[in-house]
Amino acid sequence: MIRMLLKITLGLICAAGVVQAEVVAPDALIRDTAQEVIAIVKQDPDFKAGNQKKILALVDAKVLPNFDFVRMTQLAMGKYWRQAAPAQKQVLVSEFRNMLVRTYTKAFTLYRDQAVEVKPLKIAADDTETTVKTRVIKSGAQPTAVDYQMKKSADGWKVYDVAIEGVSMVTSYRGTFATQIEQSGNVAQGIDALIKTLSDMNAGAAVPQKAGTK
């Protein structure tokens, strides 16, 4: 799973978001901001050197605004989301977010001049969901297909799932999460056990704490 997320991140490094007055088309958002973030990473050797402070600052400012972490966590939890207590939901969103941030900090140090090709997208003015298809291109290797499931919100387009070579991140986690919850026999206890697992995975990571629930 971590390997899958690392590959996703090398593409999503480029899907950075900025606050804008107008709603930018989802493919334009990914394509245009890809150039911005790639330029930052290329120009600053601290990223390849693993400067954690700079990496976390860039992830927080440029990557995280593109995600709907609540929806991602809700989809990953599947039927168990409805059975989670409000406090459990809040912690789940926070830990799910922290897990991705922790992965991104590793991915930034692995960046080696990959390029992102965004395929043309046809979308109607009233569409609220779409899939942006991209390819991560690296010299000497086969391109990797990375597709972003996106939904239009009041804050613009947000990513709520990522598929790499057709494998959905959310679906993969849904199976993993369900298995752990069901092993406990009791749903509430199973969710607590899942939270502890995620928390242990994130332990020691300097991750900014920002999350909400629905």
Side-chain angles (χ1 to χ4, degrees):
M1 183 59 66
I2 293 299
R3 182 177 299 175
M4 174 183 173
L5 280 172
L6 288 172
K7 290 182 178 179
I8 288 172
T9 302
L10 290 173
L12 203 51
I13 278 174
C14 310
V18 295
V19 177
Q20 303 183 36
E22 299 179 358
V23 176
V24 179
D27 55 336
L29 175 65
I30 291 179
R31 181 178 60 250
D32 295 346
T33 56
Q35 298 173 358
E36 177 189 4
V37 177
I38 286 175
I40 293 172
V41 174
K42 283 184 175 181
Q43 292 171 8
D44 193 337
D46 284 347
F47 288 103
K48 290 185 179 181
N51 185 312
Q52 294 294 300
K53 185 176 180 179
K54 279 193 173 183
I55 291 173
L56 286 171
L58 185 59
V59 169
D60 196 37
K62 299 296 186 179
V63 177
L64 301 188
N66 290 312
F67 287 96
D68 182 344
F69 286 105
V70 174
R71 188 173 188 192
M72 291 179 76
T73 309
Q74 180 179 357
L75 292 173
M77 288 292 293
K79 65 181 182 180
Y80 295 111
W81 177 259
R82 295 189 300 273
Q83 299 180 59
Q88 289 176 318
K89 290 179 179 179
Q90 184 174 359
V91 178
L92 282 165
V93 173
S94 179
E95 293 298 345
F96 194 83
R97 176 186 181 278
N98 290 354
M99 178 176 61
L100 293 180
V101 175
R102 181 173 53 84
T103 303
Y104 293 155
T105 62
K106 295 179 181 179
F108 269 94
T109 63
L110 297 177
Y111 177 80
R112 295 296 183 271
D113 297 324
Q114 288 88 344
V116 176
E117 176 186 277
V118 180
K119 296 185 178 181
L121 176 67
K122 291 184 179 180
I123 185 170
D126 59 350
D127 285 346
T128 58
E129 294 198 37
T130 191
T131 301
V132 176
K133 296 181 178 294
T134 75
R135 296 195 310 162
V136 178
I137 302 170
K138 181 178 180 181
S139 179
Q142 287 292 323
T144 301
V146 181
D147 299 339
Y148 301 97
Q149 299 289 332
M150 302 182 73
K151 183 176 178 64
K152 192 175 183 179
S153 71
D155 298 323
W157 289 91
K158 302 292 182 182
V159 176
Y160 66 86
D161 193 13
V162 185
I164 184 164
E165 295 294 345
V167 179
S168 161
M169 179 182 71
V170 164
T171 300
S172 297
Y173 274 116
R174 185 182 300 149
T176 302
F177 290 178
T179 297
Q180 177 156 2
I181 292 171
E182 291 164 2
Q183 285 177 344
S184 295
N186 177 283
V187 172
Q189 293 177 356
I191 293 174
D192 283 339
L194 173 61
I195 289 172
K196 184 178 187 306
T197 296
L198 294 175
S199 179
D200 289 345
M201 288 172 59
N202 294 325
V207 179
Q209 301 289 330
K210 295 178 184 177
T213 60
K214 288 183 180 178

Coordinates of all heavy atoms in Angstrom, one line a residue, residues 1-10 103 161-164 166-173:
M1 N 0.8 -1.2 0.0 CA 0.0 0.0 0.0 C 0.9 1.3 0.0 O 0.6 2.2 -0.7 CB -0.9 0.0 1.2 CG -1.8 1.2 1.3 SD -2.9 1.3 -0.2 CE -3.9 -0.2 0.1
I2 N 1.9 1.3 0.8 CA 2.8 2.4 0.9 C 3.5 2.6 -0.5 O 3.6 3.8 -1.0 CB 3.9 2.3 1.9 CG1 3.3 2.3 3.3 CG2 4.9 3.4 1.8 CD1 2.5 3.6 3.7
R3 N 3.9 1.5 -1.2 CA 4.5 1.7 -2.5 C 3.5 2.3 -3.5 O 3.9 3.1 -4.3 CB 4.9 0.3 -3.0 CG 5.6 0.3 -4.3 CD 6.1 -1.1 -4.7 NE 7.1 -1.6 -3.8 CZ 7.6 -2.8 -3.8 NH1 7.2 -3.7 -4.8 NH2 8.4 -3.2 -2.9
M4 N 2.2 1.9 -3.4 CA 1.2 2.4 -4.3 C 1.1 3.9 -4.0 O 1.0 4.7 -5.0 CB -0.1 1.7 -4.0 CG -1.3 2.3 -4.8 SD -2.8 1.4 -4.3 CE -4.0 2.5 -5.1
L5 N 1.0 4.3 -2.7 CA 0.9 5.7 -2.4 C 2.1 6.6 -2.9 O 1.9 7.7 -3.3 CB 0.7 5.9 -0.9 CG -0.7 5.6 -0.4 CD1 -0.7 5.6 1.1 CD2 -1.7 6.6 -0.9
L6 N 3.2 6.0 -2.8 CA 4.4 6.7 -3.3 C 4.3 7.0 -4.8 O 4.7 8.1 -5.2 CB 5.7 5.9 -3.0 CG 6.1 5.8 -1.5 CD1 7.3 4.8 -1.3 CD2 6.5 7.2 -1.0
K7 N 3.8 6.0 -5.5 CA 3.7 6.2 -7.0 C 2.6 7.3 -7.2 O 2.8 8.2 -8.1 CB 3.3 4.9 -7.7 CG 4.4 3.9 -7.7 CD 4.0 2.7 -8.5 CE 5.1 1.7 -8.6 NZ 4.7 0.4 -9.3
I8 N 1.5 7.2 -6.5 CA 0.4 8.2 -6.6 C 1.0 9.6 -6.3 O 0.7 10.5 -7.0 CB -0.7 7.9 -5.7 CG1 -1.5 6.6 -6.1 CG2 -1.7 9.1 -5.6 CD1 -2.5 6.1 -5.2
T9 N 1.8 9.7 -5.3 CA 2.3 11.0 -4.9 C 3.2 11.6 -5.9 O 3.1 12.8 -6.1 CB 3.1 10.8 -3.5 OG1 2.2 10.2 -2.6 CG2 3.5 12.1 -3.0
L10 N 4.0 10.8 -6.6 CA 4.9 11.4 -7.6 C 4.1 12.0 -8.7 O 4.6 13.0 -9.3 CB 5.8 10.3 -8.2 CG 6.8 9.8 -7.2 CD1 7.6 8.6 -7.8 CD2 7.8 10.9 -6.8
T103 N 3.4 10.0 3.8 CA 3.9 9.4 2.6 C 4.4 10.4 1.6 O 5.4 10.1 0.9 CB 2.7 8.6 1.9 OG1 2.2 7.6 2.8 CG2 3.1 7.9 0.6
D161 N -10.4 10.5 -4.8 CA -9.9 9.1 -5.0 C -8.8 9.2 -6.1 O -8.9 10.1 -7.0 CB -10.9 8.1 -5.4 CG -10.4 6.7 -5.3 OD1 -9.4 6.4 -4.7 OD2 -11.1 5.8 -5.8
V162 N -7.8 8.3 -6.0 CA -6.8 8.3 -7.0 C -6.6 6.8 -7.4 O -6.6 5.9 -6.6 CB -5.5 8.8 -6.5 CG1 -4.4 8.8 -7.6 CG2 -5.6 10.2 -5.9
A163 N -6.5 6.6 -8.7 CA -6.3 5.2 -9.2 C -5.0 5.2 -10.0 O -4.8 6.0 -10.9 CB -7.5 4.7 -10.1
I164 N -4.2 4.2 -9.7 CA -2.9 4.1 -10.4 C -3.0 2.7 -11.1 O -3.2 1.7 -10.5 CB -1.7 4.1 -9.4 CG1 -0.4 4.0 -10.2 CG2 -1.8 3.0 -8.4 CD1 0.8 4.5 -9.4
G166 N -5.3 1.7 -12.8 CA -6.7 1.2 -12.6 C -7.0 0.7 -11.2 O -8.1 0.3 -10.9
V167 N -6.0 0.8 -10.3 CA -6.2 0.3 -8.9 C -6.6 1.5 -8.0 O -5.8 2.5 -7.8 CB -5.0 -0.4 -8.3 CG1 -5.2 -0.8 -6.9 CG2 -4.6 -1.6 -9.2
S168 N -7.8 1.5 -7.5 CA -8.2 2.7 -6.6 C -7.6 2.6 -5.2 O -7.7 1.6 -4.6 CB -9.8 2.6 -6.5 OG -10.2 3.3 -5.4
M169 N -7.1 3.8 -4.8 CA -6.6 3.9 -3.5 C -7.7 3.7 -2.4 O -7.5 3.0 -1.5 CB -5.9 5.3 -3.3 CG -5.3 5.5 -1.9 SD -4.6 7.1 -1.7 CE -6.1 8.1 -1.7
V170 N -8.8 4.4 -2.6 CA -9.9 4.3 -1.7 C -10.4 2.9 -1.6 O -10.6 2.3 -0.5 CB -11.0 5.2 -2.1 CG1 -12.3 4.9 -1.3 CG2 -10.7 6.7 -1.8
T171 N -10.6 2.2 -2.7 CA -11.1 0.8 -2.7 C -10.1 -0.1 -2.0 O -10.5 -1.0 -1.2 CB -11.3 0.3 -4.1 OG1 -12.3 1.1 -4.7 CG2 -11.9 -1.1 -4.1
S172 N -8.8 0.1 -2.2 CA -7.8 -0.7 -1.5 C -7.9 -0.6 0.0 O -7.8 -1.6 0.7 CB -6.4 -0.4 -2.1 OG -6.3 -0.6 -3.4
Y173 N -8.0 0.7 0.4 CA -8.1 0.9 1.9 C -9.4 0.4 2.4 O -9.4 -0.1 3.6 CB -7.9 2.4 2.2 CG -6.5 2.8 2.3 CD1 -5.9 3.7 1.4 CD2 -5.7 2.3 3.3 CE1 -4.6 4.1 1.6 CE2 -4.4 2.7 3.5 CZ -3.8 3.6 2.6 OH -2.5 3.9 2.7

